[in-house]
Amino acid sequence: MYFETQYINDHQMELNMGPQHPSTHGVLRFIAITDGELIQRVTPDVGYLHRSIEKIGEKVTYHGFMPYTDRVDYVSAMTANHAYARAVEKLIQLEVPKRAHYLRMLADELCRMASHLIALGTYPMDVGAVTPFVHALREREKINDLLEELCGARLTYNYMRIGGVSFDIPAGFDQKVLKFLQEFDVFLQEFDALLSHNTIFVHRVANLCPISKEEAIDFGLVGPNLRASGFYYDIRKEKPYACYEELNFNVPIGRGFKGVIGDAYDRYEVRIQELKESASMVRQIMQAMPEGDCHGKAPKNIRPPKGFVYESVESSRGELGFFIASDGQPNAYRIKVRSGSFAAISMIEHIAKNIYLADLVALIASLDLVAPEIDR
Amino acid sequence: MPLQFFTDPTYRENFFLYFPQVIPSLVIDFIALFVLIAIFFSGMIAPIAGLSVYIERRLSAKMQSRIGCNRLGPEGILQILADGIKLITKEDFMPKGADPFLFKIAPFFVMVGAFVSFAVIPFSSLFVLADLHVGVVFLLALSSVVVIGIMLAGWSSNNKWSILGSLRSAAQIVSYEIPLGLALLIPVLITGSMNLQEIGAFQKGGVNHWLIFFAGPFTIVAFFVYFISAIAEVNRTPFDLPEAESELVSGFHTEYSGIRWGLFFIGEYTNMFLISCIAVTIFLGGYHKSIANIPFVWITVYFSFFLLLHVLTFIPGMCKKMISGDSFLDVMMKNEPKALSRTSKMLCALISLFISVFLHRYHDESALIQTLVFISKSYFLVLIIMWLRWSLPRYRIDQLMDLCWKNLIPLSFLCVCGTMIWMVIT
């Protein structure tokens, strides 16, 4: 790692934030050159959570890699499952039953809600309010209960299979989902009342570190962070996968709700609205769930033809894509994961200038960084 | 008479005239005072601070859909003892490169600054340790002792986060002392005395005699200026920047553990109770119960206590609902099966009934009644401080300074001038 200590003058201090720090969301390190509390330059240092997931992908079979994709982004594991399954299905040109598509979308949207709840919960905690975090996690527990009924796991689901999903929905699942969604509407109103219009919170994050549309595109920002900058881009709309074109939903974009477009408050508000959209999508999916088989007809030993494939889905943190290079063997020649948090963290050095230390914490929280997704 | 110095004003005035002759008596006086203070603190203030810790843990748990400590003793009340034993038996760790002397002495400044202030607080018309003529100045002086402890802790820890926290604290406490001092000046203006006992006695005779309602809007605003500045003085949320957990790990006490950390902790909770005591003494009628002796009225008061918390939630910028569809009122009074058991609700009702009957029985204000009234009024403010902590985010350092220098200080000057004009006119 390259340190810039040689540039420090007498008025500056090198402040080492992390790898162990309460608000770095995992194991993440920032080297800040500060003048007192004012940050002049901050350099992210990634790699503390590198687990060689891409390398493991070259050693295990295509079916066997599925549990590892959970660990790419353990806050939103379903979408990683989905992206990998889609990449392999495209590689071997496998048809997926419609019910499996719907179950995947159901799992994706529930998981997106859980992930956004973590993002929106840790955000106020980094700004100093603890109670909204606990309320958000309480709701996430209910989603975890639902997903546990669906696939047996609460964090690393390993739910999707190449060609389908592992289990059909259990009996009485739809009633439980609808009951949860009713409670969830009440929770969202409360959360708004508790936090969204709180004067201190708005003062803290409105106009903080705005990212313009051009900057966001230059740095390859994706997902809610990109949409908060006012750019309409959602893979579910642009390149509809699964059966997203059959659902009716809006893509919220940042409009400068309390400050300028693309500030930290917009990134908060866009996620709040995405929660509402996801909730309505889950309702639609439960209504339009088709009958049929949900298990795929994938061969036991996948030996795909030679070639490259790249498939991505809209994860909670934006585009999550798997690139697979195959040389005809039962395991991949190369697997590369493209993740949203990695683009977001490269943004920090560019925008975090002349802000306070407290603002850096709020900025990290607003970008919804998840350390394992950065390092993989 | 060892305590003559503190009880007899003429003795005290003569004292300085005949200073050399009375030195032995002086020594005895101070020893007696220290013994008294020690008994007082160990017997009264420390349990109150401990109780605040317990109440805050249970209260925050209720606000956050948790249960809180309920294992040790009835409803978990003995948890504070267990915590104390744990803290005392932990290793007294000191980081490498720390300044040993300053590191060890720093927590005592914080605790002593908080505890000694209670010497001038009148808990009843008879129960005050030192009936000083300069009580208000004494309080202001001692509130500055705390910042020395925090600065020493930050400096001696040899840690960048600690020093940042202590610098924040220094800036914050020194700034907020100005509106605090100006707000405390108003009761001094009205009563013409700096003696807290006299300020308390001035407010006898009912709510309309409380100093908060003395000069129309000016004293009411002064009370809020005092209360906000005082919360900032004791580093509680939303002004908890010196120990901002998510930013500065733990701020000035990052490197502290064991009982030295515990001393900071006790100091914080004692300070919280102290500022409530000062607010009650100076603005909210002191130890006078100020309400007619009818049980019905007292029961109404106890219900309006909960109601007030409910109403306050509609202040803009504060949260409206605290827990899963229930307001604070619901949490305290109604059915939250896991949060408040039936036994404790019955207990609360019984206690408030008992207190109302008890207060009704005693028409003349005995010292015990006065102390009870004083402590319950103070605890009401402590509860408000806790409630603020668990519902508000934290200010940024520049916003904190803006709030002080651009809003609170002009407002407090306005209050002082307004009160003076009000006093001249009426």
Side-chain angles (χ1 to χ4, degrees):
Chain A
M1 181 62 201
Y2 140 81
F3 297 101
E4 298 202 337
T5 22
Q6 64 267 31
Y7 297 116
I8 290 185
N9 62 33
D10 288 349
H11 303 289
Q12 288 173 328
M13 173 168 80
E14 190 198 50
L15 198 61
N16 210 350
M17 188 170 156
Q20 300 296 332
H21 187 275
S23 58
T24 47
H25 296 223
V27 193
L28 198 59
R29 181 177 173 216
F30 294 90
I31 302 150
I33 310 290
T34 66
D35 177 6
E37 288 237 357
L38 211 59
I39 287 173
Q40 295 180 334
R41 186 192 175 89
V42 55
T43 314
D45 179 13
V46 301
Y48 287 92
L49 262 174
H50 188 69
R51 291 145 299 156
S52 311
I53 286 178
E54 291 168 359
K55 191 70 187 169
I56 291 170
E58 298 167 15
K59 300 291 172 194
V60 296
T61 59
Y62 286 97
H63 283 300
F65 187 57
M66 188 58 85
Y68 290 99
T69 59
D70 288 329
R71 276 80 178 169
V72 169
D73 177 1
Y74 49 62
V75 185
S76 173
M78 283 293 186
T79 46
N81 277 190
H82 198 170
Y84 175 69
R86 279 180 52 73
V88 180
E89 282 153 15
K90 191 176 175 191
L91 195 64
I92 60 177
Q93 292 177 348
L94 191 68
E95 277 294 312
V96 180
K98 195 169 180 191
R99 189 172 173 86
H101 274 316
Y102 264 78
L103 285 173
R104 283 178 178 186
M105 287 198 301
L106 174 71
D108 267 14
E109 294 309 319
L110 282 175
C111 191
R112 190 188 318 279
M113 285 163 82
S115 170
H116 278 354
L117 281 174
I118 290 236
L120 294 170
T122 50
Y123 196 172
M125 195 160 76
D126 287 347
V127 180
V130 189
T131 303
F133 170 72
V134 187
H135 287 192
L137 277 226
R138 182 190 63 206
E139 297 305 308
R140 178 176 173 268
E141 280 300 304
K142 294 175 187 168
I143 300 180
N144 278 355
D145 288 346
L146 290 175
L147 288 176
E148 190 182 6
E149 280 201 27
L150 193 62
C151 64
R154 294 171 69 86
L155 188 73
T156 49
Y157 308 108
N158 188 20
Y159 177 57
M160 299 188 193
R161 296 283 181 270
I162 294 160
V165 294
S166 55
F167 304 107
D168 206 339
I169 45 175
F173 188 72
D174 43 354
Q175 270 85 28
K176 283 174 187 161
V177 171
L178 290 178
K179 182 170 171 287
F180 161 71
L181 289 175
Q182 279 171 359
E183 293 167 3
F184 191 73
D185 288 343
V186 180
F187 160 77
L188 268 181
Q189 288 169 12
E190 271 174 33
F191 201 76
D192 269 355
L194 186 62
L195 193 67
S196 303
H197 309 297
N198 184 303
T199 318
I200 299 176
F201 181 71
V202 171
H203 278 175
R204 276 294 302 275
V205 299
N207 296 321
L208 171 66
C209 293
I211 302 173
S212 72
K213 202 187 288 184
E214 291 74 26
E215 279 176 329
I217 294 167
D218 285 351
F219 279 83
L221 225 54
V222 286
N225 295 331
L226 174 66
R227 292 193 283 275
S229 298
F231 188 73
Y232 186 94
Y233 180 78
D234 188 322
I235 298 175
R236 290 172 294 178
K237 284 279 187 195
E238 301 294 320
K239 292 179 271 179
Y241 55 92
C243 292
Y244 273 108
E245 69 275 4
E246 294 172 15
L247 299 184
N248 177 25
F249 64 101
N250 298 319
V251 178
I253 61 168
R255 299 177 197 281
F257 294 101
K258 300 273 181 187
V260 295
I261 292 179
D263 63 359
Y265 188 86
D266 275 10
R267 292 194 276 278
Y268 167 84
E269 186 64 34
V270 161
R271 287 196 174 85
I272 286 272
Q273 294 188 7
E274 280 192 16
L275 272 182
K276 294 174 186 166
E277 292 299 328
S278 288
S280 99
M281 266 189 259
V282 171
R283 276 206 179 88
Q284 293 173 35
I285 292 167
M286 292 312 289
Q287 274 176 1
M289 181 73 74
E291 294 298 318
D293 191 16
C294 66
H295 305 289
K297 294 182 176 54
K300 263 190 177 171
N301 295 314
I302 297 176
R303 293 182 84 94
K306 284 186 183 181
F308 309 107
V309 67
Y310 175 78
E311 271 297 318
S312 60
V313 299
E314 182 73 23
S315 157
S316 315
R317 269 156 285 282
E319 182 177 351
L320 181 71
F322 277 78
F323 170 83
I324 301 175
S326 157
D327 57 354
Q329 297 297 312
N331 42 13
Y333 178 74
R334 172 85 170 95
I335 286 185
K336 168 85 180 76
V337 186
R338 187 256 188 262
S339 64
S341 293
F342 189 74
I345 198 169
S346 64
M347 193 87 211
I348 285 180
E349 188 166 1
H350 180 67
I351 49 173
K353 277 173 185 157
N354 287 321
I355 57 170
Y356 286 93
L357 195 63
D359 288 340
L360 176 65
V361 174
L363 172 68
I364 296 168
S366 81
L367 287 170
D368 188 17
L369 296 177
V370 171
E373 205 199 7
I374 297 167
D375 294 337
R376 301 184 291 278
Chain B
M1 219 14 214
L3 281 176
Q4 215 171 357
F5 182 86
F6 299 99
T7 50
D8 185 358
T10 44
Y11 175 84
R12 195 156 47 224
E13 280 156 23
N14 291 333
F15 172 79
F16 290 105
L17 288 176
Y18 308 109
F19 189 70
Q21 289 94 316
V22 292
I23 286 177
S25 151
L26 176 80
V27 171
I28 293 169
D29 272 0
F30 275 100
I31 289 173
L33 182 66
F34 285 143
V35 170
L36 252 182
I37 288 176
I39 292 169
F40 179 65
F41 288 151
S42 56
M44 186 164 175
I45 303 302
I48 282 175
L51 200 61
S52 307
V53 178
Y54 169 74
I55 289 176
E56 173 144 45
R57 288 179 68 168
R58 291 308 298 265
L59 198 68
S60 66
K62 282 175 185 102
M63 288 170 68
Q64 299 182 344
S65 323
R66 296 185 282 117
I67 297 171
C69 49
N70 69 342
R71 294 281 140 177
L72 206 59
E75 292 288 318
I77 190 113
L78 293 178
Q79 185 66 40
I80 38 178
L81 285 180
D83 284 348
I85 292 167
K86 182 201 79 172
L87 287 176
I88 291 169
T89 49
K90 265 179 102 169
E91 185 192 355
D92 185 16
F93 179 77
M94 188 164 60
K96 198 177 169 187
D99 186 324
F101 177 67
L102 298 183
F103 187 83
K104 283 178 179 165
I105 204 170
F108 296 107
F109 276 91
V110 175
M111 204 184 73
V112 167
F115 271 32
V116 175
S117 307
F118 279 101
V120 293
I121 299 286
F123 282 84
S124 77
S125 53
L126 298 171
F127 188 13
V128 52
L129 275 181
D131 193 8
L132 287 186
H133 279 308
V134 287
V136 174
V137 179
F138 182 78
L139 286 176
L140 286 176
L142 274 174
S143 72
S144 310
V145 173
V146 175
V147 73
I148 297 176
I150 291 176
M151 281 298 289
L152 287 183
W155 173 256
S156 64
S157 293
N158 189 26
N159 182 323
K160 284 170 186 169
W161 303 103
S162 300
I163 194 78
L164 276 177
S166 63
L167 286 176
R168 278 178 176 190
S169 175
Q172 175 180 337
I173 294 185
V174 170
S175 306
Y176 275 87
E177 244 166 43
I178 301 167
L180 185 93
L182 284 168
L184 288 187
L185 194 63
I186 289 168
V188 175
L189 269 177
I190 296 170
T191 58
S193 168
M194 283 197 181
N195 187 333
L196 290 172
Q197 185 69 271
E198 283 177 25
I199 294 176
F202 185 86
Q203 307 175 60
K204 188 181 167 103
V207 179
N208 51 332
H209 287 76
W210 288 9
L211 282 182
I212 184 174
F213 301 121
F214 186 85
F218 299 111
T219 35
I220 294 175
V221 172
F223 169 72
F224 283 105
V225 168
Y226 166 76
F227 199 56
I228 293 169
S229 319
I231 293 173
E233 280 265 316
V234 300
N235 304 329
R236 293 282 295 186
T237 314
F239 308 107
D240 65 336
L241 286 95
E243 50 193 292
E245 197 208 325
S246 54
E247 297 155 24
L248 303 183
V249 191
S250 281
F252 62 88
H253 57 63
T254 305
E255 297 287 2
Y256 281 87
S257 63
I259 194 61
R260 288 186 201 284
W261 178 84
L263 292 183
F264 280 119
F265 194 64
I266 294 170
E268 183 188 327
Y269 279 85
T270 315
N271 257 326
M272 199 165 79
F273 186 62
L274 174 73
I275 59 165
S276 309
C277 285
I278 297 171
V280 168
T281 310
I282 286 188
F283 288 102
L284 301 180
Y287 44 76
H288 298 298
K289 56 184 168 175
S290 323
I291 304 261
N293 282 309
I294 308 164
F296 175 71
V297 174
W298 274 98
I299 292 164
T300 323
V301 168
Y302 271 84
F303 275 103
S304 56
F305 162 75
F306 296 115
L307 205 64
L308 186 67
L309 283 182
H310 190 57
V311 170
L312 274 174
T313 52
F314 293 103
I315 293 172
M318 274 182 202
C319 70
K320 284 183 181 165
K321 296 194 174 179
M322 317 214 89
I323 175 174
S324 63
D326 295 346
S327 67
F328 199 73
L329 174 75
D330 300 328
V331 179
M332 296 296 287
M333 296 296 292
K334 277 179 13 193
N335 48 346
E336 182 67 17
K338 277 177 190 167
L340 207 62
S341 70
R342 187 180 291 167
T343 343
S344 48
K345 265 191 287 187
M346 288 286 283
L347 210 65
C348 282
L350 269 177
I351 288 172
S352 47
L353 196 71
F354 175 73
I355 289 175
S356 48
V357 172
F358 188 63
L359 288 169
H360 171 62
R361 294 271 301 187
Y362 288 82
H363 285 267
D364 49 338
E365 301 201 326
S366 72
L368 185 62
I369 301 276
Q370 285 177 341
T371 314
L372 271 179
V373 167
F374 186 83
I375 289 179
S376 43
K377 275 184 193 173
S378 306
Y379 251 105
F380 174 70
L381 293 182
V382 168
L383 285 177
I384 288 185
I385 298 173
M386 288 173 182
W387 168 48
L388 288 177
R389 172 173 177 187
W390 294 102
S391 45
L392 291 181
R394 185 188 304 124
Y395 272 107
R396 207 200 302 151
I397 184 78
D398 58 326
Q399 292 166 345
L400 183 89
M401 289 293 153
D402 279 359
L403 181 72
C404 179
W405 291 96
K406 292 181 183 167
N407 301 323
L408 290 182
I409 290 182
L411 211 56
S412 55
F413 269 113
L414 188 78
C415 289
V416 172
C417 299
T419 312
M420 285 197 279
I421 293 166
W422 190 284
M423 285 169 72
V424 170
I425 291 172
T426 54

